[in-house]
Amino acid sequence: MLNRFLSRCLLIAASVVVLPAFAGKPNVVILATGGTIAGAGADAAKSATYQAAKVPVDKLIAGIPALADVAQVRGEQVFQIASESFTNEHLLTLGKRVSALVKQADVDGIVVTHGTDTLEETAYFLNLVVKSDKPIVLVGSMRPGTAMSADGTLNLFNAVNVAASKDARGKGVLVAMNDELNSGRDVSKMVNIKTEAFKSPWGPLGMVVEGKNYWFRLPAKRHTVNSEFDIDQIDALAPVEIAYGHGNVGDTAYRAFAAKGAKAIIHTGTGNGSVSNRVVPALRELRGQGVHIIRSSHVNAGGFVLRNAEQPDDQYDWVVAHDLNPQKARILAAVALTRTQDSKELQRIFWEY
């Protein structure tokens, strides 16, 4: 009897010893889409000359052994592209995969690795359409992994930490770059050659330092679980284009976009979304044909368009983009137009999101 008891104790002890290191830790899925964080160059001294989207997700994960101390991590290669080539179809595919994963009980958080050129657009899209309070964190890098002082490894480690954190729940889609935690709704790429490239005009939500999150503010706009939009009910995004305002601008681009089937045109105006008197007649004509005109601004940080302050928006039946930059305004319009064609409803949506 004593020998049997000792044998059972040894078996129990052995089973405890062989448990994997990540037992009991959160489950985080990394969805890889390419970009600089998966890039490689031939010269370690070159941080801006390289090929994006070369390193597969399994190698990214294997390059950070410390991830096993944070979470049980697995990866999926959704795309392997440079983000300037992202299309509406890529957004829908990625969004539906994120939506499917966050419904699983064995998934606690999602990390999306992404090229920085359109990272802010994807972050805002997911913020609008994924109905979950689980952490969804986008991450990229400004330097390829082969460069000296590459930033991708720490950025990815931080992103996994955040996605595994209970205190990151319910804050909308986040972007973890350069130790900052920004809202996917607000953040934009402001610089193209520095690691502190991503900024929000209203400041970050928090910081992540040595695996710990520090929060300073919460997002005020509707997102994720409080959004009226649902990726599972969207099969195609509305065609929306962006036309850039500048001195001596003409109406050629606006008319061309409308002729190609655009349902809305984001006017990227100077200052307060200003519209040249050379362009106003064309925009009024296009609105009369059913094309929505949405005034945004190309002021780099904090462009804020006031309704009826520069143009009589009520009279012309135009929409203002509030504080959204042109690329984010395009995302919101493309999503909103899947639900309504009413300009007053569109304006409500721009105020609330």
Side-chain angles (χ1 to χ4, degrees), residues 1 18 34 96 98-99 102 120 124 146 193 206 222 267 273 301:
M1 294 291 292
V18 299
K96 289 179 183 297
V98 172
S99 179
V102 293
E120 66 193 80
Y124 187 41
T146 50
I193 55 171
R222 293 176 64 177
H267 167 72

Side-chain angles (χ1 to χ4, degrees), residues 159-171:
V160 171
N161 265 285
V162 176
S165 302
K166 291 182 179 179
D167 61 25
R169 293 180 73 115
K171 293 180 172 65

Side-chain angles (χ1 to χ4, degrees), residues 217-234:
R217 70 179 183 93
L218 296 175
K221 300 295 186 178
R222 293 176 64 177
H223 61 77
T224 54
V225 292
N226 295 317
S227 174
E228 66 200 82
F229 308 110
D230 187 342
I231 184 64
D232 296 331
Q233 299 174 5
I234 301 175

Side-chain angles (χ1 to χ4, degrees), residues 36 39-52 142-148 192-193:
T36 299
D43 188 340
K46 298 290 180 65
S47 62
T49 304
Y50 57 89
Q51 286 186 299
M142 296 304 297
R143 297 170 179 166
T146 50
M148 290 187 285
N192 68 334
I193 55 171

